Structures are given as C-alpha cells and as structure tokens.
C-alpha cells in the first residue's frame, strides 16, 4: 500500500543519512587515533593533551559504532532488539561511551582552560603546576564513572524488559519500547545529571578561558605589540566559541531526547538524533 511504501522510503532515507554521518565521524576519529598511536610509538610517551584526545577519539569511535548498530537494527530489523539481551547490551554500551564522550570533552576543555588561561589566583596557579599529574586521575575517574552508569543502565533496562515484554508473542516494538521507557525515569534523571554536570564544567572553562584571552588581547593591543599575537588570540577565542556553540547545540538535543523519548514524534526525534550523531564528527 502507499502508506507502507512511505514508511519503507522514510526508513531507507533515515538509515542512509545516519550511516553517512556515522561513518564520516568514525573515519575522522579513527584518523585522530592512528596519528596519536603513531606519535606514541615514536616518542614512547604521550603528553596530557594527547592522552585526553586519544581516549576521546576512542570513546567517540565506539559511540558512533553502537549508535549506528542500534539505529540500523531499529529501522531495518526491529525484532532483533527483542532477543535477550541485545537491547540491554546496546543501551549499556551506548550509555558508557556517550557518558565517557561527554566527560572526556569536559576534561579537554578544563585542561585547555588551566593550561592557557592566566589568572593570579593561588589555587589556579597550583592547578596549572599540577595539571599534568591530575589529568590521568581525571581520565580514570571519568572511565570508572561512565562504566558505573553503563552497568546501571543495563540492569535497569534488563529488569524493565523482563517486566514489560513477553518474548514469546509478537508485539509492535515501539509500543513495547514506550512501556519500557515509562519505567526508566531513574535513568533519565541520572543521564540528565551527567549531561548537566559536564556541560556546566564546559561552560565555566570556556567562560574563564575566553575572558583570559580577551583580557590578554586587550593588553597586547594597549602595549602596541605585533598583530600576529593579536590574530593568534582572536583565532583561539573563535575556536573556543565555536566549540562552546556546538557543545551547547548537542546538549539541547540530548535534553530533548530525554523529554520526547516516550512520545511517538518520529520526525522531531530524527532531527535530534541527526544532531547527536553529527556532534562527535564535527567537534573532532
């Protein structure tokens, strides 16, 4: 029927767009990982910046892999998600890599803020001196926290699926998914807390860094120093502002996902999902 043809065409278009976005992001992050691994093999060590970028690239690569796999199964083979424990594993892995992606991004912004910004505060000076020792612990803590979130999501979804689905009968997947979603408000709360906390860290880091760069640029102009230094500071400010803008758009899309996840608004959720998939590639 025409209605079935429209649904098939919509699913094919959606799968194509998401696949192109996903594979572009995966290629970019794989390139970053390869370059850093070659540098690691050549120098036998990595500095703090490279450690953050390496873990960030790995988390984004696998985040895109699991995002594409989940969307592919949902659009093309939806009943595969009803096979225990496929849905739980995908959601747990997705939550782990998504959370680590957010926290590693926040660590990167925080690292740049402490390294580049210039404030005469004792605590800030202490952090600037100790940041290279603190970074490995920040990364380790981010990984442990993300792993706890992933395990928690797996357990909650596993209990919800066992209560809501009868795997011996055939039901419409999205209706079953809605019944599951209605039991996952604790996950939504914790996920929202993770997004908000990391976003606040990015906001504070970006604001302090932009203020420091603006003040330094103004000092350079006042002292009539060369224009190359002013241009370098302007480029740095534009780079940080663009990162903050992209990060903010992604944060809004994630909040919309939490709000509309229990509502059958396919077109809105598709746009939000396209933004989420685009972020790891665009930022990288």
């Amino acid at each position: 029927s025409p209605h079935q043809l429209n649904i098939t065409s919509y699913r094919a278009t959606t799968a194509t767009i998401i696949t192109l976005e996903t594979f572009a992001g995966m290629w970019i992050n794989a390139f970053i990982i390869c370059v850093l691994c070659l540098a690691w093999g050549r120098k036998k060590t990595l500095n703090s910046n490279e450690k953050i970028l390496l873990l960030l690239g790995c988390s984004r690569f696998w985040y895109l892999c699991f995002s594409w796999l989940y969307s592919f199964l949902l659009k093309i083979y939806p009943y595969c998600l009803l096979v225990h424990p496929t849905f739980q594993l995908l959601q747990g892995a997705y939550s782990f890599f998504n959370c680590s992606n957010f926290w590693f991004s926040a660590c990167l912004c925080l690292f740049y803020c402490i390294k580049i910004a210039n404030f005469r505060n004792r605590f800030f000076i202490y952090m600037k001196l100790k940041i290279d020792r603190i970074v490995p612990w920040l990364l380790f803590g981010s990984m442990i926290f993300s792993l706890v979130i992933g395990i928690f999501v797996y357990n909650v979804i596993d209990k919800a699926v066992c209560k809501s689905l009868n795997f011996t009968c055939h039901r419409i997947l999205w209706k079953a998914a809605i019944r599951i979603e209605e039991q996952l408000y604790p996950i939504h709360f914790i996920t929202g807390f993770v997004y908000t906390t990391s976003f606040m860290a990015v906001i504070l880091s970006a604001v302090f860094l932009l203020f420091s760069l603006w003040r330094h640029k103004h000092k350079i102009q006042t002292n009539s120093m060369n224009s190359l230094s002013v241009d370098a500071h302007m480029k740095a400010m534009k780079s940080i502002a663009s990162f903050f803008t992209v990060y903010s758009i992604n944060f809004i899309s994630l909040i919309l996902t939490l709000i509309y996840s229990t509502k059958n608004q396919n077109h809105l959720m598709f746009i939000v999902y396209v933004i989420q998939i685009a972020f790891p590639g665009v930022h990288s």
Side-chain angles (χ1 to χ4, degrees):
S1 65
H3 179 66
Q4 290 177 329
L5 288 175
N6 288 334
I7 293 175
T8 303
S9 176
Y10 171 76
R11 286 180 176 177
T13 304
T14 302
T16 302
I17 293 172
I18 291 175
T19 299
L20 291 174
E21 271 195 321
T22 302
F23 278 83
M26 288 170 63
W27 185 88
I28 292 168
N29 284 284
F31 176 76
I32 293 173
I33 293 168
C34 289
V35 170
L36 290 171
C37 287
L38 289 173
W40 191 2
R42 186 174 62 254
K43 299 187 300 182
K44 307 302 181 184
T45 185
L46 292 175
N47 59 39
S48 298
N49 179 48
E50 291 169 335
K51 290 174 184 176
I52 299 173
L53 289 174
L54 179 60
L55 288 177
L56 183 59
C58 291
S59 67
R60 286 179 170 175
F61 179 85
W62 289 109
Y63 164 76
L64 290 169
C65 283
F66 282 101
S67 296
W68 178 82
L69 182 60
Y70 176 74
S71 63
F72 177 79
L73 292 176
L74 187 64
K75 298 296 180 184
I76 309 300
Y77 302 108
Y79 286 101
C80 288
L81 295 176
L82 299 178
V83 179
H84 188 274
T86 305
F87 184 65
Q88 295 91 312
L89 286 173
L90 286 175
Q91 287 296 319
Y94 173 86
S95 299
F96 168 72
F97 288 113
N98 191 28
C99 183
S100 60
N101 171 24
F102 254 70
W103 279 107
F104 291 152
S105 298
C107 288
L108 182 66
C109 199
L110 182 66
F111 175 80
Y112 285 151
C113 176
I114 293 173
K115 273 288 188 180
I116 299 173
N118 188 18
F119 296 105
R120 295 182 179 179
N121 180 277
R122 288 185 178 180
F123 177 74
F124 194 85
I125 293 172
Y126 174 81
M127 291 294 292
K128 189 182 285 285
L129 293 173
K130 300 292 184 180
I131 186 62
D132 289 321
R133 295 183 181 180
I134 295 172
V135 163
W137 290 105
L138 280 175
L139 296 175
F140 180 73
S142 299
M143 289 185 65
I144 294 299
F145 183 72
S146 302
L147 183 61
V148 170
I149 294 294
I151 294 171
F152 176 76
V153 169
Y154 176 91
N155 289 332
V156 173
I157 289 179
D158 190 52
K159 292 178 182 177
V161 167
C162 291
K163 290 179 180 178
S164 300
L165 291 179
N166 180 3
F167 291 97
T168 60
C169 66
H170 297 285
R171 298 182 181 181
I172 299 174
L173 182 64
W174 72 265
K175 288 184 178 180
I178 288 173
R179 285 198 298 276
I180 295 171
E181 288 283 354
E182 289 171 349
Q183 301 180 45
L184 302 185
Y185 290 116
I187 290 180
H188 289 174
F189 175 78
I190 291 179
T191 305
F193 173 78
V194 170
Y195 294 160
T196 305
T197 306
S198 59
F199 185 60
M200 289 300 297
V202 169
I203 288 177
L204 293 174
S205 300
V207 168
F208 281 129
L209 189 50
L210 284 170
F211 176 73
S212 177
L213 287 172
W214 176 81
R215 190 179 63 175
H216 196 59
K217 182 182 79 71
H218 182 70
K219 188 185 295 184
I220 290 171
Q221 288 176 326
T222 304
N223 295 333
S224 301
M225 298 177 75
N226 60 48
S227 60
L228 290 176
S229 184
V230 176
D231 290 341
H233 280 78
M234 286 299 297
K235 288 179 180 179
M237 291 171 69
K238 289 177 181 178
S239 177
I240 295 160
S242 63
F243 163 70
F244 177 70
T245 302
V246 172
Y247 202 93
S248 300
I249 293 171
N250 187 60
F251 174 74
I252 293 170
S253 71
L254 289 165
I255 296 302
L256 289 175
T257 302
L258 297 179
I259 294 172
Y260 291 103
S261 60
T262 57
K263 299 177 182 178
N264 189 31
Q265 300 190 23
N266 293 328
H267 296 291
L268 177 62
M269 290 304 299
F270 170 67
I271 295 171
V272 170
Y273 196 63
V274 165
I275 294 172
Q276 285 181 268
I277 295 296
F279 171 70
V282 171
H283 182 224
S284 297

